[in-house]
């Protein structure tokens, strides 16, 4: 009777997708578990297995988990939005930041008037005059590299 | 949009790939020969065939923006192999969160000042209600809730809380110093 040797431990999600034997030193295995097949599928579709392998080999082992997570995040973003990927999120956040900075500067200017004890300046209709942007104090750093699409 | 799909002037992609740049080369309009690094980065991170597939899935008028965003992401990943452009997202999320908190605090102060002023034009607030809507317009806190919904392809990655939590801060991978996000 032939002895059946026990099968090797199950392949990682990467080796399953790539239909290859998952060796003990497989670089993907710690980060692409077999119960998360979609994670590797997305990363593979956007970046390709060999590119991911090269990136992982370039970073220290203790940073590979974060690297894989960020690659998975980018891949997901690109699959949902093939034109802009993550850049759509960056542009939106930059816009929100600028809006909040303007609103904050306006609120602080109003507070400054109150705390100085001076009455608010009213226009002809009796409504408060909102300072122009030129009159506002510096409102902090705005990212200098705003991503623009023409 | 540069077009260099001529026999005598291969695009940056075909130069890099050492192949003849044919008329109709899908890369030629977006990777001019004078920007070799752009394609080199994209090739390193995404690979030529993945980029080809992606561009083929898009309408022609979308391809330039797609290439530009891929180039941006590729450059970010080359500069920061661990976080890439996700580092910038995390940084911006923290900044937005911080500004929202500061604006809330400033608005709370404005409300306190306004209540102390006892302006006659303000209607008395119903008990327990927010004082914002009952105030005269000039006393209302600054609106910050505009355009807070999802738009422009922004999403929350499943399984990843927003903000995308990274253990670092202002510096790219490897350095931890508390604070913001990756630099580009």
């Amino acid at each position: 009777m032939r002895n059946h040797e026990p099968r090797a431990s199950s392949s990682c999600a990467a080796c399953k997708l790539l239909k290859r034997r998952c060796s003990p030193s497989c670089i993907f295995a710690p980060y692409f578990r077999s119960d998360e097949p979609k994670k590797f599928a997305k990363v593979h579709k956007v970046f390709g297995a060999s590119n991911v392998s090269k990136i992982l080999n370039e970073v220290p082992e203790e940073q590979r988990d974060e690297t894989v997570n960020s690659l998975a995040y980018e891949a997901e973003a690109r699959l949902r939005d093939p034109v802009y990927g993550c850049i759509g999120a960056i542009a939106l956040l930059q816009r929100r930041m600028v809006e909040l900075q303007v609103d904050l500067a306006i609120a602080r200017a109003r507070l400054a008037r109150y705390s100085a004890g001076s009455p608010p300046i009213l226009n002809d209709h009796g409504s408060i005059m909102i300072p122009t942007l030129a009159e506002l104090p510096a409102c902090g750093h705005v990212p200098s590299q705003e991503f623009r699409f023409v | 949009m540069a077009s260099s799909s001529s026999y005598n002037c291969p695009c940056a992609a075909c130069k890099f790939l050492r192949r003849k740049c044919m008329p109709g080369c899908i890369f030629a309009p977006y990777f001019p020969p004078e920007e070799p690094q752009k394609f080199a980065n994209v090739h390193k991170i995404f690979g030529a065939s993945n980029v080809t597939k992606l561009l083929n899935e898009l309408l022609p008028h979308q391809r330039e923006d797609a290439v530009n965003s891929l180039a941006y992401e590729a450059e970010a990943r080359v500069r920061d192999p661990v976080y890439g452009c996700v580092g910038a997202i995390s940084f911006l999320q923290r900044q937005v969160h911080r500004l929202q908190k500061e604006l809330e605090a400033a608005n709370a102060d404005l409300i306190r000042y306004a209540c102390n002023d006892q302006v006659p034009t303000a209607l008395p607030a119903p008990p327990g209600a927010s004082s914002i809507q009952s105030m005269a317009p000039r006393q209302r806190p600054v609106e910050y809730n505009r355009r807070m919904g999802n738009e422009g392809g922004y999403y929350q990655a499943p399984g990843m809380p927003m903000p995308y939590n990274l253990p670092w801060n202002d510096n790219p991978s490897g350095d931890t110093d508390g604070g913001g996000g990756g630099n580009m």
Side-chain angles (χ1 to χ4, degrees):
Chain A
M1 183 181 286
R2 181 181 283 179
N3 281 332
H4 292 280
E5 292 184 354
R7 280 185 171 276
S9 56
S10 62
S11 297
C12 70
C15 293
K16 271 189 181 172
L17 185 84
L18 298 170
K19 294 180 183 172
R20 66 184 196 191
R21 186 173 160 270
C22 191
S23 70
S25 60
C26 172
I27 195 166
F28 298 119
Y31 317 107
F32 295 102
R33 299 194 319 261
S34 57
D35 59 346
E36 293 181 309
K38 285 186 182 173
K39 185 177 173 185
F40 183 77
K42 289 174 185 173
V43 167
H44 176 55
K45 180 162 183 176
V46 174
F47 296 101
S50 71
N51 289 338
V52 174
S53 174
K54 285 179 202 165
I55 292 171
L56 289 178
N57 276 317
E58 278 179 12
V59 302
E61 194 170 342
E62 61 272 17
Q63 293 183 310
R64 287 178 184 168
D65 201 34
E66 285 298 325
T67 304
V68 165
N69 286 341
S70 71
L71 286 169
Y73 189 99
E74 267 192 62
E76 173 91 36
R78 183 59 63 174
L79 291 171
R80 290 196 188 204
D81 183 357
V83 180
Y84 297 113
C86 270
I87 307 310
I90 290 175
L92 180 67
L93 285 166
Q94 283 179 328
R95 269 202 307 273
R96 284 190 190 172
M97 225 177 81
V98 171
E99 286 169 1
L100 284 167
Q101 285 173 328
V102 169
D103 288 346
L104 183 60
I106 291 173
R108 285 180 172 163
R110 288 181 180 170
L111 276 172
R113 288 189 201 280
Y114 273 121
S115 59
S118 56
I121 299 170
L122 304 180
N123 63 16
D124 292 340
H125 304 289
S127 300
I128 195 168
M129 293 284 283
I130 294 180
T132 63
L133 286 178
E135 294 169 330
L136 295 176
C139 54
H141 173 70
V142 176
S144 58
Q145 187 181 8
E146 184 178 31
F147 193 83
R148 289 181 190 272
F149 289 108
V150 174
Chain B
M1 189 167 76
S3 175
S4 57
S5 57
S6 66
Y7 182 79
N8 292 325
C9 189
C11 69
C14 293
K15 263 190 182 175
F16 185 94
L17 298 169
R18 294 184 187 173
R19 66 185 195 191
K20 188 177 174 186
C21 191
M22 304 295 290
C25 168
I26 196 166
F27 296 124
Y30 317 109
F31 294 102
E34 55 271 13
E35 292 179 55
Q37 197 59 46
K38 185 178 175 185
F39 183 78
N41 289 343
V42 167
H43 180 266
K44 178 175 178 173
I45 302 302
F46 296 101
S49 67
N50 286 340
V51 175
T52 301
K53 283 181 210 164
L54 185 127
L55 291 180
N56 278 325
E57 285 171 7
L58 297 174
L59 298 170
H61 71 275
Q62 296 174 312
R63 289 175 184 166
E64 188 174 8
D65 280 353
V67 166
N68 287 341
S69 70
L70 286 168
Y72 189 97
E73 281 189 38
E75 184 177 350
R77 184 62 66 174
V78 166
R79 290 189 191 206
D80 182 356
V82 179
Y83 297 114
C85 71
V86 177
I89 291 176
S90 178
F91 173 75
L92 289 168
Q93 283 174 338
R94 288 174 211 261
Q95 294 302 308
V96 164
H97 184 70
R98 177 183 62 81
L99 287 166
Q100 283 171 339
K101 290 292 177 199
E102 289 181 23
L103 187 56
E104 281 169 20
N107 281 337
D109 287 342
L110 275 174
I111 291 171
R112 274 196 289 278
Y113 271 113
C115 290
N116 289 340
D117 272 356
Q118 299 285 324
V119 177
T121 55
L123 294 172
S130 161
S131 56
I132 292 176
Q133 298 201 351
S134 61
M135 276 191 267
R138 67 184 181 188
Q139 295 165 318
R140 290 201 186 115
V142 179
E143 179 58 58
Y144 70 93
N145 282 323
R146 55 188 162 166
R147 301 176 64 191
M148 292 298 281
N150 278 350
E151 56 186 11
Y154 182 66
Y155 80 105
Q156 183 170 341
M160 291 192 180
M162 190 171 109
Y164 180 91
N165 282 321
L166 299 171
W168 59 268
N169 23 57
D170 284 323
N171 295 320
S173 57
D175 295 325
T176 56
D177 200 12
N183 295 319
M184 285 180 218

